[in-house]
């Protein structure tokens, strides 16, 4: 763990404690360059988003009540030591904020959210135009003009 920082999450009356860490330089570059792309509708890939989340969570430890820690090094450990998707989302957000100074205090995230919301209509427009051009049937489907006797 690089510069670990304890982080607690209160969820439905229960407190969960984790240690978050800085990413090594090359891992951070990979995560930060690919993680946001996975969330852009019609471009992103859920699998890419999940892969980057798992890579990111490898730099998080669950702190148990007795003080022992468990690194969330794979999907099974994440599922066993993070109670639900909401707590996982908070952990992901904390990791992004902790590792990216420009996302602290929500400033960069607001900018990224605005950028995605501005880009989405244009991307949808482009994909819709391409879809129409690429999906023309070669010939008209057979139409029967006689009424069925059944």
């Amino acid at each position: 763990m690089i510069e670990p920082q304890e982080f607690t999450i209160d969820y439905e009356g229960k407190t969960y404690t984790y240690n978050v860490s800085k990413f090594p330089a090359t891992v951070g570059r990979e995560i930060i360059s690919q993680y946001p792309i996975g969330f852009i509708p019609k471009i992103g890939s859920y699998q890419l988003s999940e892969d980057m989340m798992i890579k990111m969570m490898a730099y998080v430890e669950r702190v148990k009540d007795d003080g022992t820690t468990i690194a969330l090094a794979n999907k099974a450990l994440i599922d066993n030591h993070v109670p639900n998707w909401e707590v996982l989302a908070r952990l992901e957000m904390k990791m992004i904020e902790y590792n990216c100074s420009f996302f602290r205090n929500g400033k960069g995230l607001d900018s990224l959210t605005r950028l995605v919301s501005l880009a989405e209509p244009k991307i949808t427009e482009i994909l819709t135009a391409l879809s129409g051009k690429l999906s023309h049937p070669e010939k008209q489907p057979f139409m029967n003009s006689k009424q069925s006797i059944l």
Side-chain angles (χ1 to χ4, degrees):
M1 303 274 293
I2 302 169
E3 300 177 37
Q5 181 182 81
E6 192 171 280
F7 176 64
T8 59
I9 298 172
D10 294 318
Y11 183 79
E12 294 187 351
K14 189 164 181 184
T15 299
Y16 301 91
T17 305
Y18 298 91
N19 288 327
V20 295
S21 171
K22 296 285 187 178
F23 303 133
T26 56
V27 173
R29 183 181 188 280
E30 178 184 8
I31 291 170
I32 299 307
S33 68
Q34 295 184 43
Y35 185 78
I37 294 169
F39 290 104
I40 299 175
K42 307 210 188 231
I43 290 179
S45 145
Y46 178 79
Q47 190 60 53
L48 173 64
S49 172
E50 182 177 279
D51 292 347
M52 292 301 103
M53 176 274 299
I54 291 169
K55 188 168 284 224
M56 184 186 320
M57 289 299 108
Y59 300 93
V60 175
E61 294 175 330
R62 171 74 159 104
V63 180
K64 295 172 66 176
D65 293 337
D66 65 3
T68 60
T69 59
I70 299 169
L72 304 181
N74 58 48
K75 192 173 181 177
L77 288 168
I78 295 166
D79 286 338
N80 285 322
H81 297 283
V82 178
N84 56 49
W85 74 269
E86 289 182 71
V87 172
L88 179 59
R90 290 181 194 178
L91 271 173
E92 288 179 75
M93 193 51 145
K94 177 64 178 177
M95 285 295 286
I96 294 295
E97 289 173 0
Y98 189 55
N99 280 276
C100 303
S101 61
F102 49 88
F103 282 123
R104 291 191 190 123
N105 301 324
K107 292 178 185 173
L109 187 58
D110 289 343
S111 298
L112 180 62
T113 303
R114 279 194 301 273
L115 178 63
V116 168
S117 68
L118 291 172
E120 186 177 354
K122 188 62 178 171
I123 292 166
T124 302
E125 178 185 327
I126 291 167
L127 291 174
T128 301
L130 287 174
S131 173
K133 290 179 182 177
L134 298 174
S135 66
H136 288 293
E138 290 185 24
K139 60 181 182 176
Q140 189 74 339
F142 176 74
M143 299 289 284
N144 186 352
S145 60
K146 295 182 183 178
Q147 275 190 327
S148 174
I149 353 179
L150 298 174

